[in-house]
């Protein structure tokens, strides 16, 4: 009797669900609906390092009512993405402007399903003109400019000048020289390291710099990933040599316990912002030691070749109009271009060209770097040699952090680690729906 | 209510013809039944409302969503998809690995947990007086450190530099968080976290079972010459089996729903642990990385079926919710029959 009742209830539940599912079917998803206008008040989402930018705006524009929401700034974090998935489903709730915690976020924010990030090429053409095409290219998605770069973040080649002078080492100019010298230094100075492999940007630092197709977006639904490409092989061989020689750390630059290893870093490719943000403010390396030179070349190539680490992206909502949109654009223009944030407060080289010289002049006043003139020159020269890289619907950096450090800690070689990374990358790409091509 | 019962009693006490007495008794039973039914509904109502809002409706909604076709980021068309989402989930390259992770954890954690609960509960029960009371309190302390507090404590304990057991980590060759929180160490770290989080509560539960054993039984065993060990092994343990079974199965069900601990361990290790370590994390990834809500709902339904299955086993096998009186009667009746 009881069994019959359970069965009846089960069948009734299933039938109801099927009916409801049938009723709910047949349409396509909607994205947003009509644009709204609050009449002027704006809400902006910023990660912790960008809070001073929003505060500077509030001070500069007291007439504009603004809500500043501090969000989780973890690169590769999921909370913002989760909130946006809910906003997209609900058709409301989006912030008016945002600093994306991960640059990959721009992939879903511009996707046809979400379509959050407005086309700023149409809305702010004058501001866009101020950017070097190489810097703004990261925001150029299918011909539309969907974000503004906060800072340019090309990798330069950092080294500890004081250490090099004391030991009499010559600064490398090619990737191959860097590999050989790193092993030599590790042997002659136990504990000294020449690179970090444990953070999300290591993929940019080494594989992007080598021109390896890890993030080659062919179209909205197609990705080109091929880690057997000769450009990937040369980077893998370099890392294998350095790892086997004890010249690399499995920690990441953002690890809470990385400061000790950071103090032992003698050289590494790294972003422009490493100088102030990492060496000076986080790892507290004394002034007069670190300095930057131009990015490295690969043997046989005439031009240097480098990656890009972050250089955050500002986005503006496509769901607003009128006074709300006008004020949001004022905010976007301020945080991307105004010297009150970009020169006075920002630790990174501004993405917006016209304020770059003032920021470069400021690092001379700071007198932190060992060789200021060379460092300034290196920053400028790196801008144009960044290798192509697209942001995808999955987080490439997270794929790196969960495969490479654990393989190396488990006793695997760099080749094993990058093989694991490549396999997981293809799996992730397929799982979000990309067709993966290897050519 | 009391007046009504007194009235009924008075009526039944008064002499009357048998027909009249039968009608009155029936009427009384009917009144009682109606009152009981009303009372039952009143008592059930808050739970029923909560159950509907927090369980039944979401489950039904999840089932409906799981039958949709996913409007993915790459292909935004949606519609009725039948069991497509279930196929997507089971066919996902991470599906089995998440279950292997959970089963590995269960294989290590559950035996330690159950042994710990039983051993400590028996020790407490065998230590009467103030000492036993004090130990009960001490064992309960880790249980009071629920959720995040327990996690924060463990973040400190597994820190290879500042932890009081840092020598242990360094002895094992680990000097950074990443070297401690490796995929191979995950089941052991989680075992430690879950053990201390749950042990206190479950000792109290099992100790409740031990307190339910009648003094006569224990005294009889002592008179028969049982020492403390024999008393624990041959008398107490068989009698608290339902409580131990209940603890085992509830922990099993909890293990399947693990999310917070592996999620936060990933944060601590700066992403060196996979984002989809547990099945629930895979569901989260389906929803927010893949934007495939039907697949996330399908995985929830799969997990629901597993945990519901475990729940049914608890109810039917442990005998904890059985009707003791009727069970005793049946046993007595069986014995009688055998004697006859």
């Amino acid at each position: 009797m009881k069994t019959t009742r359970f069965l009846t209830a089960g069948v009734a539940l299933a039938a109801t669900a099927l009916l409801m599912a049938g009723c709910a079917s047949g349409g396509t998803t909607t994205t947003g609906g009509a644009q709204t206008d609050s009449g002027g008040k704006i809400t902006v989402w910023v990660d912790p390092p960008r809070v001073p930018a929003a505060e500077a705006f509030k001070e500069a524009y007291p007439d504009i009512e603004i809500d500043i929401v501090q969000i989780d700034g973890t690169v590769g974090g999921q909370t913002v993405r989760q909130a946006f998935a809910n906003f997209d489903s609900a058709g409301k709730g989006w912030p008016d402007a945002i600093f994306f915690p991960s640059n990959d976020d721009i992939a879903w924010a511009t996707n046809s399903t979400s379509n959050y990030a407005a086309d700023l090429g149409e809305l702010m053409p004058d501001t866009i003109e101020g950017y070097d095409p190489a810097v703004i290219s990261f925001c150029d998605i299918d011909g539309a400019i969907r974000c503004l770069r906060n800072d340019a973040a090309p990798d330069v080649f950092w080294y500890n000048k004081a250490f090099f002078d004391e030991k009499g080492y010559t600064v490398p100019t090619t990737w191959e020289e860097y590999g050989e010298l790193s092993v030599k230094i590790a042997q002659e100075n136990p504990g000294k390291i020449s690179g970090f492999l444990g953070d999300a940007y290591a993929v940019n630092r080494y594989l992007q710099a080598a021109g390896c197709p890890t993030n080659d977006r062919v179209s909205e639904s197609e990705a080109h990933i091929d880690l057997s490409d000769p450009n990937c092989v040369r980077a893998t061989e370099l890392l294998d040599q350095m790892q086997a020689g004890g010249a690399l750390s499995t920690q990441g630059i953002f690890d809470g316990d990385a400061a000790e290893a950071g103090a032992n870093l003698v050289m590494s490719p790294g972003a422009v912002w490493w100088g102030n943000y990492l060496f000076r403010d986080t790892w507290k390396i004394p002034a007069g030691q670190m300095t930057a030179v131009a990015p490295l070349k690969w043997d046989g190539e005439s031009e240097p070749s480098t990656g890009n680490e972050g250089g955050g992206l500002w986005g503006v909502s496509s769901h607003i109009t009128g006074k709300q949109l006008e004020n949001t654009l004022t905010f976007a223009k301020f945080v991307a271009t105004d010297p009150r944030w970009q020169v006075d407060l920002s630790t990174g080289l501004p993405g917006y060209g016209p304020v770059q010289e003032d920021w470069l002049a400021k690092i001379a006043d700071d007198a932190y770097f060992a060789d200021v003139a060379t460092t300034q020159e290196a920053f400028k020269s790196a801008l144009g040699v960044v290798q192509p890289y697209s942001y995808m619907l999955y987080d490439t950096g997270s794929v790196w952090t969960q495969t490479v450090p654990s393989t190396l800690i488990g006793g695997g070689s760099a080749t094993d680690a990058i093989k694991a990374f490549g396999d997981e990358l293809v799996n992730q790409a397929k799982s979000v729906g990309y067709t993966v091509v290897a050519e | 209510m009391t007046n009504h019962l007194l009235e009924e009693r008075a009526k039944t006490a008064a002499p009357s013809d048998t027909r009249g007495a039968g009608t009155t008794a029936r009427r009384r039973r009917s009144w009682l039944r109606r009152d009981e039914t009303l009372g039952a509904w009143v008592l059930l109502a808050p739970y029923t409302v909560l159950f509907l809002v927090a369980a039944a409706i979401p489950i039904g909604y999840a089932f409906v969503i799981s039958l949709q076709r996913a409007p993915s980021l790459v292909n935004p068309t949606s519609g009725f998809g039948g069991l497509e989402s279930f196929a997507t989930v089971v066919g996902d390259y991470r599906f089995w690995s998440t279950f292997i992770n959970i089963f590995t954890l269960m294989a290590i954690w559950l035996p330690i947990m159950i042994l710990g609960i039983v051993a400590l509960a028996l020790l407490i029960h065998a230590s009467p007086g103030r000492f036993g009371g004090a130990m009960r309190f001490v064992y309960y302390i880790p249980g009071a450190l629920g959720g995040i507090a327990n996690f924060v404590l463990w973040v400190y304990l597994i820190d290879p530099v500042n932890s009081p057991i840092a020598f242990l980590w360094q002895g094992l060759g680990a000097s950074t968080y990443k070297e401690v929180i490796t995929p191979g160490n995950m089941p052991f770290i989680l075992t430690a976290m879950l053990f201390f989080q749950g042990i206190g509560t479950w000792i109290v539960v099992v100790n409740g079972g031990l307190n339910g054993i009648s003094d006569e039984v224990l005294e009889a065993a002592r008179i028969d010459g049982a020492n403390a060990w024999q008393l624990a092994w041959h008398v107490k343990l068989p009698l608290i089996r339902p409580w131990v079974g209940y603890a085992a199965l509830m922990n099993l069900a909890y293990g399947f729903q693990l999310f917070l601990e592996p999620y936060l361990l990933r944060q601590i290790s700066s992403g060196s642990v996979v984002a989809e370590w547990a099945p629930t994390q895979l569901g989260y990834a389906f929803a927010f990385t893949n934007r495939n809500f039907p697949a996330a709902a399908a995985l929830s339904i799969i997990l629901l079926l597993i945990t519901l299955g475990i729940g049914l086993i608890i109810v039917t096998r442990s005998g904890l919710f059985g009707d003791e009186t009727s069970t005793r009667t049946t046993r007595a009746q069986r014995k009688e029959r055998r004697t006859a």
Side-chain angles (χ1 to χ4, degrees):
Chain A
M1 182 68 189
K2 261 186 189 170
T3 320
T4 323
R5 243 186 257 162
F6 272 125
L7 277 176
T8 318
V11 169
L13 181 71
T16 315
L18 281 167
L19 193 68
M20 286 167 77
C23 291
S25 69
T28 52
T29 48
T30 54
T31 50
Q35 290 176 310
T36 57
D37 180 9
S38 67
K41 186 179 179 181
I42 61 171
T43 303
V44 300
W45 281 19
V46 286
D47 68 341
R50 253 51 61 167
V51 170
E55 295 290 352
F57 172 79
K58 199 173 179 178
E59 201 182 316
Y61 291 86
D63 296 342
I64 296 180
E65 212 183 330
I66 181 171
D67 268 344
I68 301 166
V69 179
Q70 186 178 313
I71 53 174
D72 175 12
T74 313
V75 176
Q78 290 283 311
T79 45
V80 169
R81 186 188 270 248
Q82 179 191 341
F84 272 75
N86 291 331
F87 296 153
D88 291 342
S89 293
K92 60 180 179 184
W94 304 277
D96 300 313
I98 185 171
F99 181 87
F100 292 108
S102 306
N103 285 16
D104 299 76
D105 292 341
I106 198 66
W108 54 255
T110 55
N111 192 269
S112 52
T113 306
S114 184
N115 196 29
Y116 164 77
D119 179 1
L120 301 176
E122 276 180 18
L123 295 168
M124 310 173 76
D126 298 344
T127 306
I128 304 295
E129 262 179 35
Y131 280 94
D132 183 313
V135 175
I136 202 70
S137 67
F138 288 89
C139 291
D140 185 342
I141 294 162
D142 297 331
I145 306 295
R146 308 290 290 267
C147 54
L148 298 174
R149 291 291 296 279
N150 178 72
D151 52 304
D155 280 0
V156 288
F157 190 76
W158 290 102
Y159 76 102
N160 188 321
K161 190 171 185 300
F163 174 82
F164 269 62
D165 288 349
E166 184 198 328
K167 300 286 179 180
Y169 294 124
T170 309
V171 182
T173 55
T174 67
W175 288 94
E176 288 79 1
E177 284 173 13
Y178 162 57
E180 282 160 22
L181 181 62
S182 70
V183 176
K184 187 169 184 256
I185 289 177
Q187 280 167 353
E188 293 173 358
N189 308 272
K192 294 291 179 190
I193 53 166
S194 297
F196 283 88
L197 282 189
D199 57 87
Y201 289 140
V203 61
N204 305 91
R205 213 173 297 147
Y206 295 105
L207 296 188
Q208 183 190 357
C212 170
T214 57
N215 281 46
D216 185 7
R217 181 181 178 277
V218 181
S219 69
E220 191 173 332
S221 60
E222 208 173 2
H224 169 215
I225 301 170
D226 179 14
L227 272 84
S228 63
D229 186 284
N231 286 347
C232 306
V233 173
R234 64 183 180 182
T236 308
E237 284 172 352
L238 170 80
L239 294 177
D240 238 354
Q241 176 194 8
M242 293 173 74
Q243 172 68 15
L248 294 172
S249 168
T250 52
Q251 283 186 285
I253 54 168
F254 296 119
D255 288 9
D257 46 9
E260 197 186 328
N264 282 316
L265 184 77
V266 290
M267 61 175 172
S268 173
V272 164
W273 51 260
W274 278 33
N276 286 347
Y277 180 78
L278 210 59
F279 300 146
R280 187 190 66 188
D281 301 342
T282 310
W283 292 346
K284 316 281 185 204
I285 295 174
Q289 292 194 10
M290 303 306 291
T291 200
V293 290
L296 304 173
K297 287 187 282 196
W298 288 94
D299 259 351
E301 289 184 2
S302 56
E303 280 287 304
S305 169
T306 199
N308 170 84
E309 297 182 39
L313 311 178
W314 292 98
V316 169
S317 171
S318 65
H319 306 293
I320 50 173
T321 187
K323 190 71 183 165
Q324 191 179 0
L325 175 62
E326 193 185 306
N327 287 347
T328 305
L329 293 176
T330 307
F331 173 81
K333 189 175 169 70
F334 177 88
V335 290
T337 69
D338 199 291
R340 280 170 287 185
W341 156 243
Q342 287 291 356
V343 177
D344 299 346
L345 298 169
S346 181
T347 52
L349 172 68
Y352 186 65
V355 289
Q356 282 176 345
E357 284 300 332
D358 288 345
W359 187 89
L360 287 168
K362 199 171 146 256
I363 65 166
D365 298 341
D366 291 346
Y368 173 74
F369 300 113
D371 182 345
V372 173
T374 313
T375 304
Q376 287 171 321
E377 198 49 47
F379 286 179
K380 282 194 274 189
S381 72
L383 286 169
V385 291
V386 171
Q387 296 304 297
Y389 189 84
S390 312
Y391 296 116
M392 315 297 280
L393 288 166
Y394 49 88
D395 182 9
T396 308
S398 288
V399 178
W400 178 277
T401 58
Q402 68 190 36
T403 50
V404 174
S406 55
T407 309
L408 296 175
I409 289 167
S413 66
T415 303
D416 299 334
I418 289 174
K419 164 86 173 56
F421 165 69
D423 292 346
E424 179 66 12
L425 209 57
V426 171
N427 281 333
Q428 287 265 347
K430 284 181 181 167
S431 113
V432 294
Y434 282 117
T435 305
V436 178
V437 291
E439 299 253 326
Chain B
M1 178 74 180
T2 321
N3 287 344
H4 169 73
L5 280 173
L6 286 172
E7 203 179 310
E8 290 291 325
R9 263 186 217 144
K11 273 182 194 166
T12 44
S16 62
D17 67 334
T18 46
R19 254 179 93 187
T23 320
T24 316
R26 266 202 301 279
R27 214 177 285 153
R28 190 189 66 172
R29 274 201 297 275
S30 144
W31 263 106
L32 273 175
R33 217 175 288 139
R34 207 174 298 165
D35 279 1
E36 277 175 8
T37 312
L38 185 68
W41 275 113
V42 170
L43 288 172
L44 261 178
Y47 176 80
T48 311
V49 171
L50 276 175
F51 177 76
L52 279 174
V53 172
I57 294 172
I59 290 168
Y61 186 66
F63 193 52
V64 170
I65 296 289
S66 71
L67 297 174
Q68 303 290 313
R69 176 173 292 118
S72 73
L73 282 166
V74 169
N75 179 11
T77 54
S78 67
F80 179 70
L83 297 176
E84 215 173 82
S85 300
F86 288 88
T88 305
V89 169
V90 178
D92 189 273
Y93 75 103
R94 297 160 292 192
F95 181 76
W96 295 109
S97 65
T98 60
F99 278 94
I100 288 169
N101 287 341
I102 282 291
F103 282 122
T104 310
L105 170 66
M106 299 282 194
I108 297 167
W109 164 55
L110 271 183
I112 296 174
M113 184 80 175
I114 298 305
L115 276 178
I117 293 168
V118 172
L120 294 177
L122 286 172
L123 275 175
I124 289 173
H125 196 251
S127 317
R130 274 197 189 168
F131 178 71
M135 290 320 287
R136 203 171 305 158
F137 176 70
V138 169
Y139 290 144
Y140 185 71
I141 291 174
L145 279 176
I148 292 290
N150 179 59
F151 179 79
V152 171
L153 173 77
W154 275 97
V155 166
Y156 173 61
L157 284 176
I158 60 178
D159 181 349
V161 177
N162 298 312
S163 164
I165 52 167
F167 65 91
L168 180 70
W169 305 122
Q170 282 162 7
L172 293 168
S175 55
T176 65
Y177 267 124
K178 271 197 171 79
E179 286 167 353
V180 175
I181 309 171
T182 60
N185 288 349
M186 277 292 278
F188 300 103
I189 296 170
L190 287 168
T191 292
M193 285 181 159
L194 295 177
F195 182 82
F196 280 98
Q197 189 174 313
I199 188 91
T201 316
W202 284 107
I203 287 172
V204 171
V205 171
V206 173
N207 201 52
L210 283 166
N211 287 337
I213 301 172
S214 72
D215 290 341
E216 286 85 358
V217 172
L218 298 176
E219 210 180 321
R222 275 193 209 103
I223 290 168
D224 286 346
N227 60 25
W229 164 254
Q230 286 166 329
L231 203 63
W233 186 255
H234 294 292
V235 180
K236 291 180 184 175
L237 196 58
L239 286 170
I240 56 162
R241 196 174 292 148
W243 277 268
V244 177
Y246 181 63
L249 290 163
M250 286 303 281
N251 278 302
L252 199 68
Y254 181 79
F256 270 110
Q257 296 167 54
L258 204 63
F259 180 89
L260 180 74
E261 287 82 357
Y263 179 84
L264 292 174
L265 280 173
R266 176 179 159 81
Q267 308 271 76
I268 301 301
S269 65
S270 304
S272 69
V273 175
V274 288
E276 302 86 20
W277 194 88
T280 46
Q281 287 183 290
L282 179 59
Y284 183 82
F286 273 130
F288 302 116
T289 304
N290 298 15
R291 289 275 183 107
N292 189 338
F293 287 106
L299 185 58
S300 307
I301 298 286
I302 292 171
L303 283 173
L304 175 78
L305 291 177
I306 293 172
T307 46
L308 205 62
I310 293 169
L312 282 174
I313 293 170
I314 295 169
V315 173
T316 55
R317 301 279 167 181
S318 70
L320 196 70
F321 302 129
D323 185 341
E324 271 184 49
T325 327
S326 66
T327 319
R328 275 181 199 156
T329 317
T330 321
R331 277 183 197 152
Q333 280 167 348
R334 273 193 216 128
K335 202 178 172 187
E336 243 172 61
R337 265 182 233 134
R338 272 203 301 274
T339 323

